[in-house]
Amino acid sequence: MGKPTGFLEFPRRDRSYAPVNERLNNYKEFVRPLPEDELRLQGARCMDCGVPYCHQGCPVNNIIPEWNDLVHTGAHRTALEILHQTNNFPDFTGRVCPAPCEAACTLNLVEEPVTIKTIEHAIIERGWEEGWVQPQIAAHRTGKRVAVIGSGPAGLAAAQQLARAGHMVAVYEKAARIGGLLRYGIPDFKMEKHVIDRRIAQMRSEGVEFHPNTHIGVNMPVDRLLREYDAIVLAIGAEAPRTLPVPGHDLEGVHFAMEFLPQQNKRVSGEKVTEREILATGRDVLVIGGGDTGSDCIGTSNRQKANSVAQLEIMPMPPEHEDKLSTWPYWPLKLRTSSSHEEGCEREFAVATKAFTGENGRVTGLDAVRVAWGKGADGRMAMQEVPGSAFHIKADLVLLAMGFVAPVHGGVLEQLEIALDARGNVKATDIDYLTSHKNVFVAGDARRGQSLVVWAIREGRQCARAVDEALMGRSELPR
Ligand SMILES: Cc1cc2nc3c(=O)[nH]c(=O)nc-3n(C[C@H](O)[C@H](O)[C@H](O)COP(=O)(O)OP(=O)(O)OC[C@H]3O[C@@H](n4cnc5c(N)ncnc54)[C@H](O)[C@@H]3O)c2cc1C
Ligand code: SF4
């Protein structure tokens, strides 16, 4: 701990954003990094607690106090080495992680937390600028072959770890480009895609093979992988969206968020949009559902110059501030206003959709009702419609962003006859990551359900260790 009184001397400062009118004119990242001298002061705010709750709060258990101190003293290269010990892709998490570590920071109890995510981002970007991020090529080859199905953060983390353990690794991806939701879900204004491309180049140098446009279970049977590989990792995500089966849901202009968002990511990267184009330009857009996906629809609609953007959430508005003494060090329920909300959006809470209305087959609006939430007879939260509260909202583009229920059950899962858990995810523990099928493992959203990039990285890393142990009888990969 370089500066024992840092937290008393320096207030929290974080990265700023480009002004709204500037950032809405393009799809580029708009977060402005902290200058080096300020970054060092922010590192000095870390109290190096005896029990670092941030480390527990971070799903990959980043060794945060160590690198906070190293940044404070200017030892960025060592900070990067320590960061890479626990996180394969701090460039992804430093951009899109909601930072549960900061909620868990001890300083957050009485003050504002250390700007952990900003420091993480600065360490890795400095690493790339200085050429410190190099392929880590395995010294010995094991002769074992592993196929990873799916190239999101879970698949990429598993593949990188397994290649570094000396296995021959091939990643199969149904989409045209590698990256999963990092590539096609998360918009460029949150994470530009060259950030994925440079990691793919690193992984290729480490020996990982990539096979895009290969839909396992559809245009390549999984049997072939079972014959050719010693182990398979399923990292297929949780792609089945939650539906809203009310009258009018099949009208033209009502779309799932993941029909809308990938198209814009493709346009930005110059990839051809082969599906029928969905654009918010000039439209009254209604986003149903909160969360990251809903926010991304708002930010994208505003960049496409929508006429208006509104968001409906069925849950009541959470409190503006959490009661830290009862929620710390856990992730608190509180009102979260994303950068996309700030760019322009009307938000309504405790509203349920009754039906979509339309003319000539196209959506024109939505009939809604206000709901009140309270504890039902069984003690669970339940909602009741507020009598006389029905109202109508005009909309000619509706984006459904109510989350994802499970992985898609047909195709590869059906062919493998994989056992599912009660929620419809692939059944496996977070100890051995082994499915009901011999030599087939699972990681990421496909196992834990819809989650976060940082959790997918954790699962990919831990699954890689489990695979390595199963193949070799022992493993030196970290858990
Ligand atoms: C719009 C959106 C925004 C998000 N924003 C954030 C955010 O800001 N921060 C955050 O932490 N999390 C965010 N998330 C969640 C996060 O992206 C996911 O939790 C994470 O990507 C899950 O990683 P994964 O590797 O398990 O699956 P995915 O990223 O879903 O990757 C699965 C991959 O498997 C491929 N695949 C599936 N089946 C097959 C098959 N049979 N053959 C070949 N390939 C197959 C898919 O094409 C896909 O590329 C967001 C999610 C969405 C939808
Ligand atoms: S990965 Fe997320 S939780 Fe972990 S240190 Fe980075 S921002 Fe915090």
Side-chain angles (χ1 to χ4, degrees), residues 162 165 167 464-477:
L162 287 163
H167 307 302
R465 184 186 156 105
V467 173
D468 191 32
E469 262 179 338
L471 294 178
M472 309 303 292
R474 56 186 284 279
S475 176
E476 284 175 14
L477 289 175

Side-chain angles (χ1 to χ4, degrees), residues 300-381:
T300 303
S301 298
N302 278 323
R303 279 165 182 73
Q304 291 181 356
K305 311 289 179 230
N307 187 45
S308 69
V309 183
Q311 184 180 35
L312 298 186
E313 169 61 58
I314 198 167
M315 298 304 290
M317 187 160 106
E320 217 158 301
H321 301 287
E322 74 273 37
D323 173 12
K324 288 185 183 176
L325 289 181
S326 61
T327 58
W328 181 90
Y330 300 110
W331 186 242
L333 177 71
K334 66 173 180 182
L335 181 67
R336 294 182 191 275
T337 302
S338 68
S339 55
S340 292
H341 288 125
E342 285 166 1
E343 290 163 2
C345 170
E346 291 289 321
R347 297 168 83 180
E348 291 263 9
F349 292 88
V351 170
T353 305
K354 300 293 286 181
F356 296 110
T357 57
E359 268 173 36
N360 305 322
R362 176 154 194 117
V363 70
T364 52
L366 172 153
D367 289 332
V369 64
R370 299 204 183 271
V371 292
W373 287 86
K375 274 204 178 139
D378 58 359
R380 288 189 181 172
M381 289 297 279

Side-chain angles (χ1 to χ4, degrees), residues 96 150 152-154 173-174 180-181 190 215-216 236 296 445 451 453:
V96 302
E173 168 57 57
K174 68 177 155 69
L181 289 173
K190 272 168 57 181
H215 197 165
I216 305 301
I236 58 174
D296 294 346
D445 281 8
S451 186
V453 169

Side-chain angles (χ1 to χ4, degrees), residues 414-426:
E414 203 171 73
Q415 289 177 11
L416 288 169
E417 295 178 7
I418 288 275
L420 304 173
D421 68 15
R423 293 188 300 152
N425 299 317
V426 177

Side-chain angles (χ1 to χ4, degrees), residues 89 92 148-157 159 171-184 196 200 203 210-212 233-237:
F89 309 122
F92 305 164
V148 176
I149 309 178
S151 69
L156 292 179
V171 177
Y172 290 87
E173 168 57 57
K174 68 177 155 69
R177 297 193 186 180
I178 298 300
L181 289 173
L182 298 166
R183 174 78 64 184
Y184 290 110
I196 313 172
I200 294 169
M203 290 175 65
F210 291 98
H211 302 275
V233 175
L234 293 171
I236 58 174

Side-chain angles (χ1 to χ4, degrees), residues 15-24 26 28-32 303 342-343:
R15 294 173 285 186
S16 59
Y17 296 161
V20 170
N21 57 1
E22 188 183 312
R23 67 196 204 224
L24 282 185
N26 58 65
K28 292 190 188 322
E29 288 180 14
F30 53 81
V31 178
R32 294 172 167 169
R303 279 165 182 73
E342 285 166 1
E343 290 163 2

